[in-house]
Amino acid sequence: MAKQKYYAVARGRQVGVFTDWPTTEKLVRGYTGARYKSFLDKASAEAFVKDPSNTTPKAHHHSKANTDTPVDLKAAKAIFYTDGGSRNTGNVAGGHVKSNDKAAWAYLIKYQGQELSDSAGEFGATNNRMEITALRNALQRLLDLGLAQELLVGVLDSKYVLDSINLGWLAGWQRRGFKKADGTTPQNVALWQDMAALLPQFKNLKLIWTKGHADNSGNVYVDQLLNQTMDNM
């Protein structure tokens, strides 16, 4: 018998804890700055709703990714969207991801009238790990499609992934043998090594930022897709 899930909405059209996804979805889809998460126990869901860090909207600062020369989306051969997520129950108590926490990534590629997508899950993974995995897998799919020489536009809501690439952090890690300036190894180094091998193969790749869970239909789609993946885990 499936366990009862509790959907906590800290920011949405209505705040509270709900017991079914269809009701919750109506409260958060298309709501700017929505903040929500599912739990297997009601107490954790209630704690999430009461946590000030979840109820107070965060200011979004533009990264280099979306302050460069505007990208002509109509000229792009393909536009793709990536996202990652983790249902990190440890966050409620200020802890880390637990081994049984669900996480997932997803991507959507729009190319010549087609919509190509994929998603998969992993237990005990962080949000950042899933964000990196989503982009890596999307780039590999684009490479397999023979689009490496075309103008491609990737739309992400992860400032961490975008800044790591667009602000040169990844290039710096690579120069130092995949070490940060302080000599420590970056988290998810194997994924970043994959990324460092993939990126130079693309001739005209643009990565831009979009606000997550807002009004970008592609971003909303991949968010829904990865949440479906986690629901099915």
Short mmCIF file of all heavy atoms in Angstrom, two decimals, residues 97-131:
data_model
loop_
_atom_site.label_atom_id
_atom_site.label_comp_id
_atom_site.label_asym_id
_atom_site.label_seq_id
_atom_site.Cartn_x
_atom_site.Cartn_y
_atom_site.Cartn_z
N VAL A 97 21.12 15.92 2.65
CA VAL A 97 20.30 14.96 1.94
C VAL A 97 20.45 13.58 2.57
O VAL A 97 21.56 13.15 2.88
CB VAL A 97 20.72 14.90 0.45
CG1 VAL A 97 19.96 13.80 -0.28
CG2 VAL A 97 20.46 16.24 -0.22
N LYS A 98 19.34 12.91 2.75
CA LYS A 98 19.36 11.56 3.31
C LYS A 98 19.43 10.54 2.18
O LYS A 98 19.02 10.81 1.06
CB LYS A 98 18.12 11.34 4.17
CG LYS A 98 18.03 12.28 5.37
CD LYS A 98 16.76 12.03 6.16
CE LYS A 98 16.66 12.99 7.34
NZ LYS A 98 15.40 12.79 8.10
N SER A 99 19.91 9.34 2.51
CA SER A 99 20.12 8.31 1.49
C SER A 99 18.84 7.87 0.81
O SER A 99 18.86 7.37 -0.31
CB SER A 99 20.83 7.10 2.10
OG SER A 99 20.02 6.53 3.14
N ASN A 100 17.71 8.05 1.47
CA ASN A 100 16.44 7.63 0.88
C ASN A 100 15.63 8.80 0.32
O ASN A 100 14.49 8.64 -0.08
CB ASN A 100 15.60 6.84 1.88
CG ASN A 100 15.25 7.67 3.12
OD1 ASN A 100 15.87 8.69 3.38
ND2 ASN A 100 14.27 7.21 3.86
N ASP A 101 16.22 9.99 0.29
CA ASP A 101 15.55 11.14 -0.32
C ASP A 101 15.53 10.98 -1.83
O ASP A 101 16.53 10.59 -2.44
CB ASP A 101 16.28 12.45 0.03
CG ASP A 101 16.01 12.90 1.45
OD1 ASP A 101 15.02 12.44 2.05
OD2 ASP A 101 16.78 13.73 1.96
N LYS A 102 14.41 11.31 -2.43
CA LYS A 102 14.28 11.19 -3.88
C LYS A 102 14.85 12.43 -4.58
O LYS A 102 14.74 13.55 -4.09
CB LYS A 102 12.81 11.03 -4.27
CG LYS A 102 12.15 9.79 -3.72
CD LYS A 102 10.68 9.74 -4.10
CE LYS A 102 9.99 8.50 -3.55
NZ LYS A 102 8.57 8.46 -3.93
N ALA A 103 15.45 12.19 -5.74
CA ALA A 103 15.96 13.29 -6.57
C ALA A 103 15.78 12.88 -8.02
O ALA A 103 15.70 11.70 -8.35
CB ALA A 103 17.43 13.57 -6.26
N ALA A 104 15.72 13.87 -8.91
CA ALA A 104 15.53 13.56 -10.33
C ALA A 104 15.98 14.73 -11.19
O ALA A 104 16.09 15.85 -10.74
CB ALA A 104 14.07 13.23 -10.62
N TRP A 105 16.24 14.42 -12.45
CA TRP A 105 16.60 15.42 -13.45
C TRP A 105 15.69 15.24 -14.66
O TRP A 105 15.07 14.18 -14.83
CB TRP A 105 18.06 15.28 -13.89
CG TRP A 105 18.40 13.91 -14.43
CD1 TRP A 105 18.92 12.85 -13.72
CD2 TRP A 105 18.19 13.44 -15.77
NE1 TRP A 105 19.05 11.76 -14.54
CE2 TRP A 105 18.62 12.08 -15.80
CE3 TRP A 105 17.71 14.00 -16.94
CZ2 TRP A 105 18.56 11.30 -16.97
CZ3 TRP A 105 17.64 13.24 -18.10
CH2 TRP A 105 18.07 11.90 -18.11
N ALA A 106 15.62 16.27 -15.49
CA ALA A 106 14.82 16.19 -16.71
C ALA A 106 15.31 17.21 -17.72
O ALA A 106 15.86 18.24 -17.36
CB ALA A 106 13.34 16.42 -16.41
N TYR A 107 15.10 16.88 -19.00
CA TYR A 107 15.37 17.87 -20.04
C TYR A 107 14.30 17.78 -21.12
O TYR A 107 13.62 16.76 -21.28
CB TYR A 107 16.77 17.71 -20.64
CG TYR A 107 17.02 16.46 -21.47
CD1 TYR A 107 16.42 16.27 -22.72
CD2 TYR A 107 17.88 15.47 -21.00
CE1 TYR A 107 16.67 15.12 -23.47
CE2 TYR A 107 18.13 14.32 -21.74
CZ TYR A 107 17.52 14.16 -22.98
OH TYR A 107 17.76 13.02 -23.73
N LEU A 108 14.16 18.88 -21.85
CA LEU A 108 13.25 18.96 -22.99
C LEU A 108 13.99 19.66 -24.12
O LEU A 108 14.55 20.75 -23.91
CB LEU A 108 11.99 19.75 -22.63
CG LEU A 108 11.07 20.16 -23.79
CD1 LEU A 108 10.43 18.93 -24.43
CD2 LEU A 108 10.00 21.14 -23.31
N ILE A 109 14.03 19.05 -25.30
CA ILE A 109 14.67 19.64 -26.47
C ILE A 109 13.60 19.90 -27.52
O ILE A 109 12.86 18.99 -27.90
CB ILE A 109 15.75 18.70 -27.05
CG1 ILE A 109 16.87 18.46 -26.03
CG2 ILE A 109 16.32 19.29 -28.35
CD1 ILE A 109 17.86 17.39 -26.45
N LYS A 110 13.51 21.15 -27.97
CA LYS A 110 12.58 21.51 -29.04
C LYS A 110 13.40 21.69 -30.32
O LYS A 110 14.23 22.61 -30.40
CB LYS A 110 11.83 22.79 -28.69
CG LYS A 110 10.89 22.62 -27.49
CD LYS A 110 10.01 23.83 -27.29
CE LYS A 110 9.00 23.60 -26.16
NZ LYS A 110 8.07 24.74 -26.00
N TYR A 111 13.14 20.83 -31.30
CA TYR A 111 13.97 20.78 -32.50
C TYR A 111 13.16 20.35 -33.71
O TYR A 111 12.57 19.27 -33.71
CB TYR A 111 15.12 19.79 -32.24
CG TYR A 111 15.89 19.34 -33.45
CD1 TYR A 111 16.57 20.24 -34.26
CD2 TYR A 111 15.95 17.98 -33.78
CE1 TYR A 111 17.27 19.81 -35.37
CE2 TYR A 111 16.66 17.54 -34.88
CZ TYR A 111 17.31 18.46 -35.68
OH TYR A 111 18.01 18.03 -36.79
N GLN A 112 13.05 21.23 -34.68
CA GLN A 112 12.36 20.95 -35.94
C GLN A 112 10.94 20.40 -35.71
O GLN A 112 10.54 19.40 -36.29
CB GLN A 112 13.16 19.98 -36.80
CG GLN A 112 14.46 20.57 -37.34
CD GLN A 112 15.17 19.66 -38.32
OE1 GLN A 112 14.94 18.46 -38.35
NE2 GLN A 112 16.04 20.24 -39.13
N GLY A 113 10.21 21.06 -34.85
CA GLY A 113 8.84 20.66 -34.57
C GLY A 113 8.70 19.47 -33.64
O GLY A 113 7.59 19.05 -33.33
N GLN A 114 9.82 18.91 -33.22
CA GLN A 114 9.80 17.77 -32.30
C GLN A 114 10.03 18.24 -30.86
O GLN A 114 10.66 19.28 -30.63
CB GLN A 114 10.89 16.77 -32.66
CG GLN A 114 10.87 16.25 -34.07
CD GLN A 114 12.05 15.33 -34.33
OE1 GLN A 114 12.12 14.22 -33.81
NE2 GLN A 114 12.99 15.80 -35.13
N GLU A 115 9.56 17.46 -29.94
CA GLU A 115 9.86 17.69 -28.53
C GLU A 115 10.43 16.39 -27.97
O GLU A 115 9.73 15.39 -27.84
CB GLU A 115 8.61 18.12 -27.76
CG GLU A 115 8.11 19.49 -28.18
CD GLU A 115 7.11 20.08 -27.21
OE1 GLU A 115 6.67 19.36 -26.28
OE2 GLU A 115 6.74 21.26 -27.38
N LEU A 116 11.72 16.43 -27.68
CA LEU A 116 12.43 15.25 -27.17
C LEU A 116 12.72 15.47 -25.69
O LEU A 116 13.30 16.49 -25.31
CB LEU A 116 13.73 15.05 -27.95
CG LEU A 116 13.62 15.10 -29.47
CD1 LEU A 116 15.00 15.03 -30.10
CD2 LEU A 116 12.74 13.95 -29.97
N SER A 117 12.35 14.52 -24.87
CA SER A 117 12.56 14.69 -23.43
C SER A 117 13.04 13.40 -22.79
O SER A 117 12.89 12.31 -23.35
CB SER A 117 11.26 15.14 -22.74
OG SER A 117 10.23 14.17 -22.90
N ASP A 118 13.61 13.55 -21.61
CA ASP A 118 14.05 12.39 -20.84
C ASP A 118 14.15 12.80 -19.38
O ASP A 118 14.29 14.00 -19.05
CB ASP A 118 15.41 11.90 -21.34
CG ASP A 118 15.73 10.47 -20.86
OD1 ASP A 118 14.83 9.82 -20.31
OD2 ASP A 118 16.88 10.03 -21.04
N SER A 119 14.07 11.82 -18.50
CA SER A 119 14.14 12.07 -17.07
C SER A 119 14.50 10.77 -16.36
O SER A 119 14.17 9.68 -16.84
CB SER A 119 12.80 12.60 -16.54
OG SER A 119 12.85 12.82 -15.14
N ALA A 120 15.18 10.89 -15.24
CA ALA A 120 15.49 9.71 -14.41
C ALA A 120 15.73 10.19 -12.98
O ALA A 120 16.00 11.37 -12.74
CB ALA A 120 16.71 8.96 -14.94
N GLY A 121 15.64 9.25 -12.06
CA GLY A 121 15.77 9.59 -10.65
C GLY A 121 16.96 8.92 -9.99
O GLY A 121 17.56 7.99 -10.54
N GLU A 122 17.27 9.41 -8.81
CA GLU A 122 18.39 8.89 -8.03
C GLU A 122 18.09 9.15 -6.56
O GLU A 122 17.58 10.22 -6.21
CB GLU A 122 19.67 9.61 -8.46
CG GLU A 122 20.94 9.13 -7.77
CD GLU A 122 22.17 9.83 -8.29
OE1 GLU A 122 22.17 10.29 -9.45
OE2 GLU A 122 23.15 9.93 -7.53
N PHE A 123 18.38 8.19 -5.72
CA PHE A 123 18.17 8.38 -4.29
C PHE A 123 19.41 9.01 -3.65
O PHE A 123 20.54 8.67 -3.98
CB PHE A 123 17.85 7.05 -3.60
CG PHE A 123 16.46 6.55 -3.86
CD1 PHE A 123 16.22 5.60 -4.84
CD2 PHE A 123 15.39 7.04 -3.13
CE1 PHE A 123 14.94 5.13 -5.10
CE2 PHE A 123 14.10 6.58 -3.37
CZ PHE A 123 13.86 5.63 -4.36
N GLY A 124 19.18 9.94 -2.74
CA GLY A 124 20.27 10.53 -1.98
C GLY A 124 21.10 11.56 -2.71
O GLY A 124 22.22 11.87 -2.29
N ALA A 125 20.59 12.10 -3.81
CA ALA A 125 21.33 13.09 -4.60
C ALA A 125 20.88 14.51 -4.23
O ALA A 125 19.72 14.74 -3.88
CB ALA A 125 21.14 12.85 -6.09
N THR A 126 21.80 15.44 -4.36
CA THR A 126 21.47 16.84 -4.09
C THR A 126 20.81 17.48 -5.30
O THR A 126 20.88 16.97 -6.42
CB THR A 126 22.74 17.65 -3.76
OG1 THR A 126 23.61 17.65 -4.91
CG2 THR A 126 23.47 17.07 -2.56
N ASN A 127 20.20 18.63 -5.07
CA ASN A 127 19.61 19.40 -6.15
C ASN A 127 20.67 19.77 -7.19
O ASN A 127 20.45 19.65 -8.40
CB ASN A 127 18.95 20.66 -5.59
CG ASN A 127 18.30 21.50 -6.66
OD1 ASN A 127 17.23 21.21 -7.13
ND2 ASN A 127 18.98 22.58 -7.07
N ASN A 128 21.83 20.24 -6.72
CA ASN A 128 22.89 20.64 -7.65
C ASN A 128 23.34 19.47 -8.53
O ASN A 128 23.59 19.64 -9.72
CB ASN A 128 24.09 21.20 -6.90
CG ASN A 128 23.88 22.64 -6.46
OD1 ASN A 128 22.98 23.32 -6.95
ND2 ASN A 128 24.71 23.11 -5.55
N ARG A 129 23.46 18.31 -7.94
CA ARG A 129 23.87 17.14 -8.71
C ARG A 129 22.89 16.86 -9.84
O ARG A 129 23.27 16.54 -10.97
CB ARG A 129 24.00 15.91 -7.81
CG ARG A 129 24.42 14.64 -8.56
CD ARG A 129 24.62 13.46 -7.62
NE ARG A 129 24.94 12.26 -8.37
CZ ARG A 129 26.15 11.95 -8.84
NH1 ARG A 129 27.15 12.79 -8.62
NH2 ARG A 129 26.37 10.85 -9.51
N MET A 130 21.61 16.99 -9.54
CA MET A 130 20.59 16.73 -10.55
C MET A 130 20.58 17.83 -11.62
O MET A 130 20.33 17.55 -12.80
CB MET A 130 19.22 16.61 -9.89
CG MET A 130 19.07 15.39 -8.98
SD MET A 130 19.15 13.79 -9.87
CE MET A 130 20.90 13.39 -9.77
N GLU A 131 20.84 19.07 -11.23
CA GLU A 131 20.89 20.17 -12.20
C GLU A 131 22.04 19.94 -13.19
O GLU A 131 21.88 20.13 -14.41
CB GLU A 131 21.09 21.51 -11.48
CG GLU A 131 19.94 21.93 -10.59
CD GLU A 131 18.81 22.61 -11.34
OE1 GLU A 131 18.78 22.55 -12.59
OE2 GLU A 131 17.93 23.22 -10.67
#
